Amino acid sequence: MKTQLNWWKGGIIYQIYPRSFMDESGDGVGDLAGIASKLDYVASLGVDAIWLSPIFTSPMKDFGYDVSDYRDIDPMFGSLDDFKALVKKAHELDLKVMIDQVLSHTSDQHPWFEESRQNKTNEKADWFVWADPKPDGSPPNNWLSIFGGSAWQWDSRRLQYYLHNFLTSQPDINFHNDEVRHQQLDNMRFWLELGVDGFRLDTVNFFYHSQGLEDNPPVLPGEPKTMGAPHDNPYTYQKHVYDLSRPENLTFLQELRVLMDEFPGTTTVGEIGDDNPLERMAEYTSGGDKLHMAYTFDLLNTPHTPSYIRSVLANMQNIVGDGWPCWALSNHDVVRAATRWGENEDPVAYPLVAMALITSLRGSVCLYQGEELGLPEADVPFERIQDPYGIPLWPVFKGRDGCRTPMVWENTTHGGFSTVEPWLPVDPRHLVLSVAEQEASPNALLHKVRTLLKWRQQQPELIQGELEQVSVANDELISYVRRIDRRSMLVVINMTADLQQATIPIDIDDVLQGHGFNSTLDGQKLTLPAYQAFYARVK
């Protein structure tokens, strides 16, 4: 079972998008005081920790992922005192607190960049990635920004280009510079000393670039594209050989782990968007000397057939080794799973069985705010779109606003999130799925999620056990055994809308109850109704 030091291993982390969780100040934007006011609700779900998306001082061109001060809270969210109060209350509720760290780039309004761009001789001249143009004035190479266009932006003061993997207002830090790298580690120490229990590391494989600035090669016909961006984005047309996932990254992650080990019980989870994400996960989380865990986009993607999921698990077993994954079906960057996977499925039963899947895999789990309510992707009209990623790619890609709309607490105006019009509109379809509505309905998804999570938190096999896929002679089912010490548990999951039957290939010792799912076992013959899961201890 988990201890205070390894609470993260097999832990369940609840992701909060602060702008959209709860507005206490009444300005239409969520804040830290609002989060603190709802921590009792979060704790009631049976999770281990919260992860806060960025709360640092920022011009908010990418909603906090463009940091202008790594050691202060943006006034729209509150103050450092508000943050300290939130950490204190969370710890009183036995909730750990993780915060986003955006280390690979800053805002162009960060004092470091404002100094760096002045000339080629200032003290911070080499703190960002600068390069001369080609003789014809064009960018140094063919690298592309995920947000569209070249990854290079011309600066007329230095007469050079600077690198930006995202918005032009998000210049990339030069991690080849020892001084800036150590400064970023010191910024993380600041938050550890304030009592945070861990970090989610944004774009953790983007820290280094090839100093040779070689062109990336194209993706050839038939080769897989990166999962780090939608496939209609030109960014996916390149193999990202030279602009990310460089070998030097491993050395920095080892330096980071040394820092984390000074604060026992803290943890890291890295976001990996890569051409070969599982290979990166293996590199970054194996050996116990780099990241504690990482997540990829394998299940944050569109495919979700049983055969696809089995292939992801097989690849994980074959590639990741002793590394540790963190599974998620939804977050602030992708279409909500209730729509992306479950659009034509039962709106209560499907989100629950999907949650049964990720909470029974080998690894830790991230749940995104509102996932426990089964919220579908919100419909945000073009005139209300805020996401800079979505505007130029509309209407094929509508950006990320549909998963970032306010949390719905009540079936009232603005969903109980705020007393004024929120920064993003509340989807009317969400109101009947609000916390208050579901609390009042005994058969609502929210109650079923609580039952499942609290049951799962008592199962050692599901928390830290190894995973071995087994065949039950039905390709529509996903099945595996979790083992730890001398305990073994068989898990069989039916994510389809049809009744499924299977033959259990191993001897059952005890069919487990209390998780909220229904099944029938007659000898070795298992019958699983639609959207149901089966758990049993095996001999």
Side-chain angles (χ1 to χ4, degrees), residues 126-293:
D126 193 38
W127 278 38
F128 293 83
V129 183
W130 294 96
D132 292 327
K134 290 181 178 179
D136 64 359
S138 60
N141 59 30
N142 71 345
W143 297 354
L144 295 175
S145 162
I146 291 181
F147 285 3
S150 172
W152 297 95
Q153 178 68 20
W154 179 251
D155 187 273
S156 58
R157 277 159 284 197
R158 288 186 51 143
L159 298 180
Q160 285 184 305
Y161 285 93
Y162 65 84
L163 180 67
H164 62 93
N165 278 296
F166 301 93
L167 295 175
T168 58
S169 56
Q170 293 171 297
D172 270 60
I173 286 175
N174 179 20
F175 268 74
H176 293 283
N177 182 305
D178 291 343
E179 191 176 1
V180 68
R181 190 171 70 251
H182 293 150
Q183 183 61 54
Q184 288 292 49
L185 290 171
D186 284 345
N187 286 333
M188 296 178 75
R189 180 184 294 276
F190 172 84
W191 294 100
L192 289 166
E193 290 176 346
L194 282 184
V196 303
D197 303 287
F199 301 106
R200 178 265 186 184
L201 294 159
D202 187 60
T203 59
V204 74
N205 55 316
F206 280 67
F207 296 158
Y208 283 86
H209 67 288
S210 171
Q211 293 179 293
L213 302 183
E214 300 92 335
D215 279 353
N216 280 330
V219 174
L220 299 177
E223 291 183 328
K225 291 184 173 184
T226 179
M227 293 183 185
H231 283 189
D232 53 6
N233 185 336
Y235 182 84
T236 68
Y237 292 23
Q238 292 183 357
K239 293 181 181 178
H240 295 279
V241 177
Y242 298 110
D243 54 343
L244 50 85
S245 300
R246 302 298 298 167
E248 300 94 331
N249 225 46
L250 295 172
T251 301
F252 174 71
L253 296 181
Q254 289 170 332
E255 293 177 331
L256 171 58
R257 184 59 174 259
V258 170
L259 169 64
M260 302 302 294
D261 287 347
E262 291 182 35
F263 297 84
T266 60
T267 192
T268 53
V269 56
E271 174 197 34
I272 297 176
D274 187 81
D275 298 358
N276 301 290
L278 295 181
E279 285 87 343
R280 295 292 84 72
M281 181 186 288
E283 284 184 345
Y284 289 6
T285 65
S286 62
D289 64 344
K290 297 176 283 292
L291 296 178
H292 297 80
M293 48 187 168

Side-chain angles (χ1 to χ4, degrees), residues 227 270 272-273 277-278 281 294-300 316 326-328:
M227 293 183 185
I272 297 176
L278 295 181
M281 181 186 288
Y295 73 87
T296 70
F297 286 82
D298 291 89
L299 297 186
L300 289 165
M316 189 74 64
C326 186
W327 300 98

Side-chain angles (χ1 to χ4, degrees), residues 379-396:
D379 183 23
V380 180
F382 181 74
E383 61 272 15
R384 291 293 302 272
I385 288 289
Q386 302 287 326
D387 185 9
Y389 192 7
I391 294 171
L393 298 175
W394 180 279
V396 175

